[in-house]
Amino acid sequence: QVQLMESGGNSVQAGGSLRLSCANSESTLSGNFMGWFRQAPGTEREGVAGIRTGSGSTRYADSVKGRFTISQDKAKNMVYLQMNSLKPEDTAMYYCAAGWVSPFGDSWSNSGSYTYWGQGTQVTVSS
């Protein structure tokens, strides 16, 4: 059974950095893509970054390009989200997801494309 577990969420001031981690219990079974999503109260879940696990190619939402970096460590079955220059609008619950996702277009950012989800880790950025 695939299980994803996020860690690394915290409260930071604007301009600060955080690194989120996602441990995947069954990376070979969980699909070809892993993504990071976020959801603030009263908003829809938003795709932040994705990585095609085979090739390592990455995708980013426009709102985080140049500030966030998604990476993976295949040997450890880990995916990371390095978040720099954090802004108050980055405040949200962050979720790790895995699944079989089309590498074309914006499928990576569609939450319905993913099968497996973690429980989330809270990121709060204060001004």
Side-chain angles (χ1 to χ4, degrees), residues 58-101:
T58 58
R59 314 283 192 273
Y60 295 96
D62 287 343
S63 58
V64 305
K65 278 181 182 176
R67 300 189 298 123
F68 290 11
T69 302
I70 187 170
S71 62
Q72 62 179 346
D73 184 331
K74 290 184 177 181
K76 296 181 178 179
N77 291 340
M78 297 290 294
V79 171
Y80 305 98
L81 185 68
Q82 178 67 43
M83 305 186 296
N84 298 328
S85 302
L86 282 162
K87 304 175 181 180
E89 52 262 44
D90 294 319
T91 295
M93 185 72 78
Y94 282 71
Y95 298 91
C96 175
W100 295 98
V101 180

Side-chain angles (χ1 to χ4, degrees), residues 4-54:
L4 305 178
M5 181 172 292
E6 305 94 337
S7 61
N10 211 330
S11 296
V12 296
Q13 290 192 329
S17 298
L18 284 174
R19 188 176 84 153
L20 305 183
S21 300
C22 174
N24 186 344
S25 65
E26 299 286 348
S27 61
T28 58
L29 301 177
S30 61
N32 65 331
F33 250 91
M34 291 197 69
W36 283 99
F37 286 75
R38 66 186 181 187
Q39 188 169 21
T43 69
E44 292 187 357
R45 196 165 290 192
E46 172 193 19
V48 174
I51 186 165
R52 193 173 179 183
T53 53

